[in-house]
Amino acid sequence: MLGIIRTIWMTFLHMFHRNETVQYPDVKPYLSPRYRGRIVLTRDPGGEERCVACNLCAAACPVDCISLQKGEREGRWYPEFFQINFSRCIFCGFCEEACPTYAIQLTPDFEMSEYVRQNLVYEKEDLLISGPGKVHDYSFYNVSGLKIPGKNKGEAENEAKPVDIHALMP
Amino acid sequence: MAKIVIDGREVEARSDVNLLQACLEAGEDLPYFCWHPELGSVGACRQCAVKQYANAEDTRGRIVMACMTPVTEGAIISVEDPEAKEFRGEVVEWLMTNHPHDCPVCEEGGECHLQDMTVMTGHRERRYRFDKRTHNNQDLGPFVKHEMNRCIACYRCVRFYRDYAGGQDLGVFASHNNVYFGRHESGTLESPFSGNLIEVCPTGVFTDKPFSKMYSRKWDMRGAPSVCSNCATGCNTIINERAGKVRRTLNRYNDEVNRYFLCDRGRFGHGWVNAPTRLRSAGYVINGDMTPVPAQAALDHFGKIAASGRLVGIGSPRASLESNYALRKLVGAGNFSTGMAEPEHSLVKLAVSLLAAGPARIATMHEMEQADGALILGEDVSATSPRMSLALRQIKRTAFNKAADQARVPHWMDASVRTLGQDTISPLFVVSPTVTDLDGFAQDAIRAMPEDAARLGFAIAHRIDASAPDVAGLSEAEAASASRIAEGLLAAEKPLLVSGLQYASAALLQATANIASALAARGKTPLISFVLPEANSMGLALMGGLSLDEIAAQTADATLIVLENDLSRRLDGAQFEALVGSAASLVVLDHSVTPTAIRSQVTFPSAAYSETDGTLVSAEGRAQRFLQVVYPDAPLQAGWRWIADMAQAAGLSHVQPWARLDDLIAEIAATMPVFARIPEAAPAADYELEGTPLRSQTHRVSGRTAIRANISVRDIPPPSSPDTPLHSTMEGSYSTDMPGTLIPFYQVPGWNSEQSLNRFQQEIGGKMRGGDCGVRLIDAAGGSGTFSSGIPEAFRARAGQVMLLPEARVFGTDEMSMMAQPIADRAAPAVVRVGGTVAEGARVRLSLGGEIFTVDAVSDPSLPEGVATCPPHMVSRSWSVPEWVSLEITAPAERVGTESAV
């Protein structure tokens, strides 16, 4: 009996509390930049695709919803296709953690509902954005040893000039 | 065996190995780089440091390199000792100071021995803040990619390439931190074993170029054990698949056959299974074009054709035993051809009968490596069976090892053994009409035409055992050679004799068999091997059937069914037309579009070796099963399934469909006594380990819910097949004790590279823990053998004519591998080598099989006048047998003149 009265009293008090309802979608909630929403593929500061198709995101994915195929253009690795099945994605962010080039990033966008499940399969064209995302300066090929157009052997960070193997000096 | 103590644990160790091997065999995780089970120890990388104690009282101990320290009775060592661990950590840290930040863009990533060893030693942070040494790369041709920055200077590549495989064009340049492993300039690696660098290199310096073009990580690919179908040697392979495409071929260890290495034709010759030349649906040929039709329509059409007359079947030495048997059953033994033309048909039969009736055991390749005397009689093994020639190159090791035994140096101490052995003579004799790659290793390399080589062989037999027939009219030099080789073979404990069918000479085979009988009569235990032309030549010879020439008499107004065989490679234009033209209709079952398929009325697409299970019998007489890795879309199915469907369509009740491959195999074993043991070649499809079937994917395989999401987001059940013992997914058991014939990939925790193989062996370099691979169907009859007296006349040049000999090639003369792009890129253009002098840039006109060809000519001083060589199947599609031809040599100036006139 006392319990019922207490419950009615509590409910009554709530009439004087601040309203918790958010007027979504007219009012958008604040989401931090680290929020784990829709996945994008970013570009390096030079505007080239960051993804090198190393397959680590796919390997890290607990629901196996990432699939890609490596391609190669003048020494640069890139994904020939890159598809994410968002109808399976659990937005855990493991792919972002696994990515050695900061290519795959999660964004604070969660508005991706569809009437047809097939439309939740995103291809590379849908994923690739034109900017570097959360990491502004990193370019993987500046620290790797591969030769790519515009960067010869020995021109990456912390690299000596290529050895002249015909030189006689030790 | 010796007892040693590793970290307080007493283990049994073999006394003829080093501590590193003993530790690995005892299951210890001891990192190493430069040691390789087949290449031995050199102590270059200092990575396998352990602590050894003098006795139980010794508490300080000393650090030794495990790979350079022999196992001694009662040795006390510690792998876990903090000082040893720190030492190993420092070594790997030094090795990594120059290693680039490349793993994500490195083909080796995920199956990298350097990654494994770095993790194993615990090194994770780069403290070295100075510049990394860099190198420029070289273009090493269509097979191997070069990325020198990643090198850790373990020297394995040059030790394999130069010391083991005898290559000349890969070397080491510069010094200390700058050492560079490469060629003197960019260019294709000349050795036909260059692909092994990919597996030998512990990091990503040498990677697989064709694989890189369709790359997938190791953990993402399905694997299946397979058998190489590019020659008759029967090397064991693992094929990897992802998304319906075969990605690469890897070596699969079989202690008696190919062990650790493959040849490049085997490793890179699989691309035809993905090529656009594949048949993927049933078809009618209309105006020379293949027009796809539904499988049922094609079968109905076949039913109508078959109802009108007899059926004649042509099998194939490149098809599986099962498909050949099914065809033989469909058409009846009297209407079945082995698919081989004369003289190949008779020669393969002769070879098999000589092997089965003779006293010599058929040599496995491992036995060849250990032979202490060998004669190669009239065969360029380095071209017709490259992997066998690699085994034969190791014969020099037996001489080295004798020298090492005298100096009491263990055999694994590689550099010392080589130094001790450098003056020894390798007991190998080569008799061949042309220069072969093995000449450089041989004690004696004798140039002789096939007839003369056979005569020399008969003479050797007579000099070993006088009851063998002698050869009259030998020259003094030949008689001296015969005596020398006879002495050399008699000095050996296990003399090895190798010959083959390259020069289509029955006398060569008989001469070789005579030598074997003579050696047996003298109390030796000879080993013998005949190189056969194709993957299942031996199987077809055992099965029996008519030759193409014999079957041609029976094809009139019959329905001719050709199983996975391109007759245009075996019959010249006129013979081909006669055979095909006489038949009422031609039905072809093949996996690729061939000139024969284009002539057919109905074509059925059969599954390639990667898409079905089957059995092949190698030249050694070993029946081996290949397993499917791709699950193809309908209507692709195994040849024997098509044949059962065809029988149904034609209303032929004597062939009832087999539900599973195992039913068919059981039927073959029951009806043909020679194949009674083929069910033992591999476990049946219902094989289970620990209560579940085996899996063919790794646990970490990715993209399961995304890989076909672009087609449909809905999940479909994983593919399955009633024929294969491997489950198509990651679900199932996998252990180091699984049978050697069912290993889909090598991986154990902490060991992701192929070096994890050590864990699958009973002892390193020994048998697989899960048992043997394949089963030998024939073996020597024993006894003393008989002597043949079919001694041929000596070769005599003819005026106005030239003897044209087939020049076998590793790349170019084989049928299926040439449909793989990397092999086609590697194959050199066909030239005719002419004995005597020919002006540079000259061309020859010659007539082969009724057609005229004009080919570039090169002078070859090693050939006598009146002799020329030409690669078979490359100039004329069908020519492959020595023939007298008239050569018309066009001088270069004249040629320019005629061309400008045109």
Side-chain angles (χ1 to χ4, degrees), chain B residues 320-326 328-329 543 615 640 658 661-679 777:
Chain B
S320 70
L321 214 52
E322 290 81 357
S323 294
N324 276 304
Y325 172 84
R328 186 171 176 272
K329 188 174 179 192
M543 182 174 281
T615 311
W640 54 269
W658 299 274
L661 180 75
D662 291 324
D663 301 339
L664 174 55
I665 290 174
E667 185 182 321
I668 299 173
T671 50
M672 305 189 83
V674 66
F675 297 126
R677 293 189 64 202
I678 58 165
L777 298 182

Side-chain angles (χ1 to χ4, degrees), chain B residues 51-118:
Chain B
K51 207 154 214 193
Q52 184 166 23
Y53 300 92
N55 48 47
E57 284 75 52
D58 182 7
T59 50
R60 271 183 64 195
R62 62 200 171 93
I63 283 181
V64 296
M65 294 309 131
C67 75
M68 299 300 280
T69 314
V71 165
T72 45
E73 180 62 42
I76 304 170
I77 58 168
S78 171
V79 176
E80 293 300 320
D81 177 79
E83 221 174 8
K85 275 179 106 164
E86 192 190 337
F87 185 98
R88 297 198 296 265
E90 280 167 7
V91 169
V92 106
E93 191 169 1
W94 276 112
L95 290 177
M96 294 296 283
T97 53
N98 287 319
H99 196 71
H101 187 59
D102 268 5
C103 297
V105 289
C106 175
E107 290 87 347
E108 195 86 355
E111 52 180 318
C112 176
H113 190 59
L114 179 60
Q115 276 179 342
D116 288 346
M117 296 303 105
T118 309

Side-chain angles (χ1 to χ4, degrees), chain B residues 145-157:
Chain B
K145 212 171 164 180
H146 193 218
E147 186 59 50
M148 247 322 280
N149 281 359
R150 299 170 187 157
C151 182
I152 55 164
C154 70
Y155 282 74
R156 267 187 182 191
C157 52

